[in-house]
Amino acid sequence: MASTIPDDGAVRAEVTPPADRPGRIEAHGIDHIPDSERHGHPRELFSVWAAANVNYLSLVIGGALVLMGLSLWQAVGVIVVGNLFWVLTGLLATSGPAAGAPSEVITRALYGVIGNRVNNAIGGWLVSVCYFALNLAAAATAAFALVEKAGITVNVPIEVTVIVVIAALTLAISVYGHALIIKLYLPITLALAGAFTVVALAVFKHADFSYTPAEPARGVALWTLLLAGTTMIASGPLSYTTSADFSRYLPRTASKKAIIGWTALGAFVPSVVVCSLGAFAATAVDMTDPQDALQGILPGWFVPVFLLALVLGTISINALTAYSAGLALQAVGLRVRRTVSVLFDGTVAVALTLYGLLVSNFLDTVSNALQVIVVLSGPLMAVYATDILLRRNRYDGRALSDETPGSAFWFTGGVNRAGALALVVGVATAALCVNTLYTGPVASALGGADLSLPVGMAVASGLYALLGRRAVAATS
């Protein structure tokens, strides 16, 4: 039977293709999205990133800045500067519509087909699963408190059940995929904004707006704290080298400025607000245990809502993380459907969370390791952004999908040496400057100042700009 829909491009652009519908499991994985299935507007990206950044971890980090020894307004300044890195996340998102492919495939242009599998295994899948486990543990802690308020004794079976239920809700969103994320995240953003407005009113009633530590840091000590705080805040946006995953269904004609703006603004605004709330709260209560501390200044009726908001915010961020982790696992080379890879990632994350909460301090170890992840994520972001600028965002999505030795992106032995070398040297240089789990020689010579973020990114970007022009010209 012939279609009753007129064969008109303008009409078809207004109709959501059946392949990407909220009530249907997303059919696409890392394969190319044809123009006929592109739809949407860049403004949809605002709620995607806003919902994911109203979360418990942001409160914790904001409070940690004051606990480290910064004054209130120094902490707020660090929060603003660190969150400016979301502009880079927005820039990376423009490559999605250009290629019709996720970040996990686009980065074949940077590292080659084989080199990119290593990139996805470490910089994509492993890091994502660890973040999933940490966020799941944070959500579970809030959910345990909620269960106790319902009069239920929290024992091991209850803890296991709560963790599995939260993970199942998260993975359901990830499995259904892109269209459901776009549909759900606007109401989630509005609900979380309402809940955190009440939190803000309670915090501002108790905050000391002129707070300074008893012994303010000065000189090198102050710069060390400012750099450490900025790196801590920037680790959030720098971990999202996968922003093209959520923009790749947009028409290739979508405004690049709008994609950058809505992505960056959607993440920047809630991140600044929630992190700042944590900093303001730290001037009034002990934020070493933010959940219990904030309950002490919130209205009694609102505490269950607050705990539920913490869980909902974490589900939002973890659904994006699990979605990208599933794509990363496919891009590593495993020939499985996206739904299977997402469920596998969730199973691994649940196992890590259960082990960490119930058996050992494993998650503390993972958390410490992720403090150093900026050593990797900074150069990764820098090389990707530089490639976009060098090739003026011209990506051939179909050519990028070709993994054979005859592919234009096979380069030499499956590796783009320019990208690989820029990344390795950038990471190595950053490692010399780090001062977290260990103190690198450069940091030691500078009195503990951690320059790993700016140095690693500058070296990786500069080296790729120098070495990668020929490869970019050959594949653009």
Side-chain angles (χ1 to χ4, degrees):
M1 179 183 295
S3 172
T4 58
I5 300 176
D7 187 15
D8 181 83
V11 174
R12 286 185 301 178
E14 298 298 324
V15 180
T16 301
D20 188 44
R21 198 168 59 201
R24 172 178 293 184
I25 294 176
E26 183 182 352
H28 289 292
I30 61 172
D31 52 308
H32 178 256
I33 310 297
D35 287 341
S36 61
E37 295 186 31
R38 307 287 195 90
H39 61 94
H41 190 279
R43 62 175 172 266
E44 296 171 342
L45 298 172
F46 179 89
S47 58
V48 171
W49 292 100
N53 282 283
V54 181
N55 57 63
Y56 182 58
L57 187 59
S58 294
L59 278 173
V60 173
I61 292 175
L65 294 174
V66 172
L67 294 174
M68 286 165 56
L70 294 175
S71 71
L72 173 61
W73 295 108
Q74 287 170 343
V76 172
V78 164
I79 289 167
V80 172
V81 172
N83 278 303
L84 288 175
F85 282 89
W86 285 112
V87 174
L88 286 178
T89 308
L91 174 62
L92 267 56
T94 63
S95 63
S103 295
E104 291 80 4
V105 170
I106 296 170
T107 44
R108 289 172 184 165
L110 286 60
Y111 306 113
V113 172
I114 302 300
N116 194 49
R117 290 178 183 175
V118 178
N119 166 52
N120 278 308
I122 300 174
W125 182 81
L126 181 60
V127 172
S128 294
V129 168
C130 288
Y131 268 120
F132 190 116
L134 287 173
N135 285 321
L136 181 56
T141 302
F144 296 160
L146 194 60
V147 169
E148 287 179 342
K149 287 189 175 297
I152 301 173
T153 301
V154 176
N155 50 31
V156 172
I158 293 295
E159 289 179 338
V160 172
T161 301
V162 166
I163 291 171
V164 171
V165 168
I166 294 174
L169 292 172
T170 302
L171 294 173
I173 297 173
S174 301
V175 165
Y176 272 84
H178 175 267
L180 184 61
I181 289 172
I182 297 296
K183 184 76 172 180
L184 281 182
Y185 276 41
L186 178 57
I188 289 176
T189 296
L190 295 175
L192 292 175
F196 273 81
T197 297
V198 177
V199 175
L201 292 174
V203 167
F204 289 154
K205 285 182 181 179
H206 296 83
D208 178 0
F209 292 92
S210 60
Y211 171 83
T212 56
E215 297 182 4
R218 294 182 175 84
V220 174
L222 175 58
W223 280 106
T224 299
L225 287 178
L226 292 173
L227 287 168
T230 301
T231 299
M232 186 186 304
I233 297 294
S235 64
L238 291 177
S239 68
Y240 283 105
T241 55
T242 57
S243 53
D245 296 1
F246 310 101
S247 62
R248 72 191 196 278
Y249 279 91
L250 291 174
R252 66 175 68 247
T253 55
S255 166
K256 295 180 181 64
K257 290 182 179 178
I259 293 169
I260 295 172
W262 287 115
T263 298
L265 195 65
F268 177 85
V269 171
S271 293
V272 169
V273 170
V274 179
C275 282
S276 296
L277 278 179
F280 282 111
T283 68
V285 296
D286 182 8
M287 286 292 282
T288 54
D289 186 358
Q291 184 179 298
D292 288 341
L294 289 172
Q295 288 184 51
I297 61 175
L298 292 173
W301 64 267
F302 182 71
V303 170
V305 179
F306 170 63
L307 294 173
L308 188 59
L310 294 182
V311 175
L312 181 60
T314 306
I315 287 175
S316 299
I317 191 171
N318 260 358
L320 299 189
T321 302
Y323 182 84
S324 291
L327 295 174
L329 198 59
Q330 286 187 310
V332 167
L334 295 184
R335 304 304 180 193
V336 295
R337 293 177 62 86
R338 185 189 60 81
T339 52
V340 174
S341 63
V342 166
L343 292 173
F344 175 78
D345 296 336
T347 302
V348 173
V350 168
L352 292 177
T353 305
L354 289 172
Y355 184 76
L357 288 179
L358 306 179
V359 179
S360 75
N361 63 348
F362 177 77
L363 287 181
D364 289 338
T365 303
V366 175
S367 179
N368 289 333
L370 289 178
Q371 291 178 39
V372 191
I373 208 63
V374 72
V375 170
L376 174 62
S377 61
L380 280 171
M381 179 74 79
V383 174
Y384 195 166
T386 304
D387 188 79
I388 290 174
L389 296 176
L390 286 178
R391 76 178 64 239
R392 299 178 183 178
N393 206 30
R394 294 192 296 264
Y395 292 98
D396 185 337
R398 295 190 182 279
L400 284 164
S401 297
D402 183 0
E403 298 181 68
T404 67
S407 166
F409 298 97
W410 187 261
F411 298 102
T412 303
V415 178
N416 180 355
R417 294 177 181 176
L421 184 61
L423 179 61
V424 169
V425 174
V427 170
T429 306
L432 296 175
C433 302
V434 78
N435 185 18
T436 48
L437 292 180
Y438 70 93
T439 302
V442 175
S444 180
L446 295 176
D450 186 338
L451 295 175
S452 59
L453 175 61
V455 170
M457 294 187 71
V459 169
S461 177
L463 194 56
Y464 187 69
L466 180 65
L467 302 177
R469 290 184 180 277
R470 181 178 297 179
V472 167
T475 56
S476 293

